[in-house]
């Protein structure tokens, strides 16, 4: 069943929206306009509430957040090449270790002997015979990635200050 629309509805709603009270008397006696005004007022209130909830942050806070985000992204971007450099350095160190073992089969035999049960003397002999090699291996495993890491950190540090 269609409701008969009040002919004053548009004027009443406009008046309600603009705060004009000249239609209050009609609204009091017209059920349809009363409902329409009630709905319009409810929507208006909801809109005001929604707008009140949206408090624009201070421009300084927005700027600082943007700075933090930019710095975080710069750090992440700098972290990626460090990881790649570390992987490369590790691969180089492992290659050096492999080359040393391959070049000195005698040292490799000594390690094998140590593993197969000739604990003390074989190990001592291996270290005594090949302490330079052992130092070289440790240097290759520790110093090369460390040096590359320090270099990359120094480079990315100066880059971040740009
Ligand atoms: Zn009406």
């Amino acid at each position: 069943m269609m409701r008969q629309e009040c002919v004053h509805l548009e004027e009443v709603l406009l008046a309600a929206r603009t705060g004009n009270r000249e239609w209050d008397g009609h609204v009091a006696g017209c059920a349809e306009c009363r409902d329409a005004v009630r709905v319009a007022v409810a929507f208006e209130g909801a809109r005001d509430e929604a707008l009140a909830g949206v408090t624009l942050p201070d421009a300084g806070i927005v700027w600082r957040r943007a700075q933090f985000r930019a710095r975080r992204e710069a750090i992440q971007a700098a972290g990626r090449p460090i990881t790649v450099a570390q992987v490369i350095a590790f691969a180089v160190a492992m290659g050096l270790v492999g080359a040393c073992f391959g070049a000195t089969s005698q040292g490799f035999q000594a390690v094998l002997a140590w593993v197969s049960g000739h604990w003390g003397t074989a190990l001592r002999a291996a270290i005594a015979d090949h302490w330079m090699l052992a130092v070289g291996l440790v240097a290759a495993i520790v110093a090369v990635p460390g040096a590359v890491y320090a270099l990359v950190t120094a480079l990315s540090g100066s880059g971040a200050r740009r």
Side-chain angles (χ1 to χ4, degrees):
M1 196 177 100
M2 282 283 285
R3 257 173 90 175
Q4 182 66 45
E5 209 173 81
C6 176
V7 291
H8 302 300
L9 188 59
E10 270 185 51
E11 292 155 281
V12 166
L13 285 176
L14 181 68
R17 211 178 302 138
T18 56
N20 188 339
R21 308 196 67 87
E22 70 176 285
W23 288 94
D24 281 6
H26 170 78
V27 170
C30 174
E32 195 185 341
C33 285
R34 199 166 49 236
D35 287 349
V37 166
R38 216 174 277 156
V39 169
V41 166
F43 269 106
E44 202 81 354
R47 199 195 64 155
D48 287 348
E49 242 170 69
L51 286 179
V54 181
T55 46
L56 286 176
D58 180 49
I61 293 173
V62 172
W63 184 82
R64 247 170 282 142
R65 277 189 195 147
Q67 290 293 306
F68 276 129
R69 186 179 303 164
R71 201 173 306 162
R72 197 170 56 230
E73 283 169 0
I75 289 169
Q76 283 171 349
R80 256 171 265 133
I82 287 174
T83 312
V84 170
Q86 281 176 316
V87 168
I88 292 171
F90 183 74
V92 169
M94 286 300 107
L96 283 175
V97 169
C100 288
F101 269 123
T104 59
S105 61
Q106 203 183 352
F108 188 61
Q109 293 296 324
V111 172
L112 274 185
W114 171 65
V115 169
S116 61
H118 300 275
W119 293 89
T121 49
L123 180 63
R124 265 197 297 276
I127 290 175
D129 290 350
H130 308 286
W131 67 271
M132 289 273 282
L133 176 66
V135 169
L137 287 179
V138 170
I141 292 168
V142 175
V144 171
V148 171
Y149 180 79
L151 181 70
V152 170
T153 306
L155 287 177
S156 68
S158 63
R161 273 193 295 277
R162 222 180 300 149

